[in-house]
Amino acid sequence: MMDTANRKRMRCLALILLWSLSVGTAFAGSFEGLTPGVSTRGEVYQTLGSPLKKTRNARKCWFDPAPFEGKRIQAKFFDSGILRTLTLEPGQAYSLAQYEAWLGLGKPDREEVQDGRQFHYYDSRGVALVQEGLAVDAPVAYFWHYDTGINKLHKRWEAIRKDCTKARKQDDCDAMERAWRSGRREFPKIAAFINHQIYWLMTCVGRPGSDRSELLALAEKAIALNPADTEFINLGWIYYSLYEDWPKALSAFSEVNLEANPEIHYFLGDCLEKTGGPAREIRKHYRDCAEKDPDSKWGKKARQRLARM
């Protein structure tokens, strides 16, 4: 009967071999169907679960490695919500030669040494192996997947995003429409261009009640691609201002990082007040908005609400 140590070793090896089957010669390495430069934040969350921890801007997220018998699974994202790199640290370390043989990597395209670690990059396979230590036989501590061709695409979608932002600042509805249409056509998996379309619909086309279902569908599609602050704020605002559905607005706004978006405290307080929520919690949200975003429209409204409570 296999003991616990051997069972874990076999599971760890299975993880590495599973990953090796999904590494193609012409594509970035992928894991569980997740591919840098292709997969969205929504797809990563759906596959790996909600992050255990993330940075303030959520560009870097850590996930539960237990289902994969690992020590660490970390994802880095572009601002667009597209996966940039995926790092995995198996539960057991193996040699560089073992990895190269298992994964059919051949020799690295480039190498470097940083902070006492050896980094080996296999650009044609979108794989990097990291040895913990400078010895030739130092074990591989972790590895990650990347896409060497993603920078050109990143520059392109950043250029279109800047066109969208410039048009918004200039209130140029025609330019705004051209930009978001171009973005959605070239990059259908990037939620930012859906967000710009929502803004254009609400400010340039108008927002009659008959159109609110279109806005809601767009907001939900954006969240499916990139469940991040801007997308949840848009969804919350649509429920808040167009549907007056306070529970659903509250649910959407509750997903927002309040440290980065203190004005959302006002909407949380207002939705709680409208749904009969706890007075202490309502006051706390108004107070946090007034203190952390004092000069904004919502900070001033929060002070007014506090004064009458």
Side-chain angles (χ1 to χ4, degrees):
M1 188 173 181
M2 189 180 296
D3 60 29
T4 302
N6 281 331
R7 189 178 297 110
K8 287 187 175 181
R9 180 179 180 278
M10 292 303 295
R11 286 179 181 173
C12 180
L13 181 56
L15 163 66
I16 297 169
L17 292 177
L18 173 66
W19 168 65
S20 72
L21 294 174
S22 63
V23 178
T25 56
F27 303 95
S30 64
F31 173 74
E32 292 287 299
L34 301 175
T35 305
V38 176
S39 298
T40 65
R41 182 188 300 276
E43 291 168 337
V44 173
Y45 286 11
Q46 186 175 18
T47 301
L48 301 180
S50 297
L52 299 177
K53 183 178 69 170
K54 56 187 176 181
T55 55
R56 175 174 171 171
N57 57 18
R59 290 182 191 169
K60 187 185 297 185
C61 300
W62 290 261
F63 300 87
D64 183 7
F68 307 99
E69 295 293 339
K71 291 182 180 179
R72 174 169 62 105
I73 296 182
Q74 179 194 89
K76 291 183 180 179
F77 298 92
F78 288 102
D79 287 344
S80 63
I82 297 295
L83 180 63
R84 186 169 192 163
T85 63
L86 185 63
T87 300
L88 298 103
E89 182 177 355
Q92 184 168 335
Y94 297 93
S95 71
L96 182 69
Q98 284 175 303
Y99 271 95
E100 289 179 336
W102 288 334
L103 307 178
L105 294 175
K107 295 302 179 183
D109 296 295
R110 53 195 173 95
E111 298 173 298
E112 64 180 354
V113 174
Q114 290 184 18
D115 302 323
R117 296 187 179 96
Q118 300 178 68
F119 293 78
H120 309 270
Y121 300 93
Y122 306 81
D123 291 337
S124 62
R125 307 298 294 275
V127 180
L129 302 176
V130 183
Q131 286 180 283
E132 190 66 65
L134 301 180
V136 174
D137 60 351
V140 172
Y142 59 93
F143 54 93
W144 77 77
H145 319 297
Y146 60 94
D147 184 351
T148 55
I150 194 62
N151 286 332
K152 288 184 179 179
L153 285 175
H154 180 256
K155 289 179 181 178
R156 175 58 183 156
W157 76 56
E158 275 295 301
I160 300 175
R161 185 190 63 80
K162 287 179 180 178
D163 287 342
C164 288
T165 302
K166 180 180 178 181
R168 284 177 63 161
K169 288 181 178 179
Q170 296 176 347
D171 292 324
D172 187 335
C173 290
D174 290 338
M176 203 184 305
E177 182 181 11
R178 286 194 298 272
W180 71 253
R181 286 191 184 279
S182 177
R184 291 211 61 185
R185 182 175 59 253
E186 293 187 43
F187 303 103
K189 296 180 76 173
I190 293 182
F193 300 121
I194 300 177
N195 297 335
H196 283 292
Q197 181 182 0
I198 291 171
Y199 181 86
W200 175 79
L201 284 168
M202 295 186 74
T203 58
C204 296
V205 178
R207 52 177 196 178
S210 60
D211 293 336
R212 66 181 188 175
S213 59
E214 179 186 4
L215 291 166
L216 180 59
L218 287 169
E220 290 174 338
K221 180 176 178 62
I223 284 177
L225 292 171
N226 188 38
D229 287 351
T230 298
E231 288 71 22
F232 280 111
I233 290 172
N234 281 344
L235 181 63
W237 179 253
I238 288 168
Y239 276 129
Y240 181 90
S241 64
L242 300 184
Y243 282 83
E244 296 187 356
D245 188 329
W246 318 123
K248 288 185 178 179
L250 179 64
S251 177
F253 287 134
S254 295
E255 297 291 334
V256 177
N257 181 338
L258 298 176
E259 184 181 350
N261 303 276
E263 73 280 3
I264 299 303
H265 278 292
Y266 173 82
F267 297 99
L268 289 169
D270 192 36
C271 289
L272 282 170
E273 191 170 2
K274 285 179 166 67
T275 55
R280 179 180 298 179
E281 192 173 346
I282 294 168
R283 280 195 296 269
K284 184 179 186 310
H285 280 301
Y286 287 150
R287 185 164 54 249
D288 285 345
C289 182
E291 292 176 356
K292 297 177 181 179
D293 198 25
D295 298 324
S296 74
K297 169 184 176 180
W298 307 112
K300 294 173 183 177
K301 287 176 72 72
R303 284 196 295 274
Q304 293 171 0
R305 292 291 182 92
L306 284 169
R308 66 168 177 73
M309 290 184 75

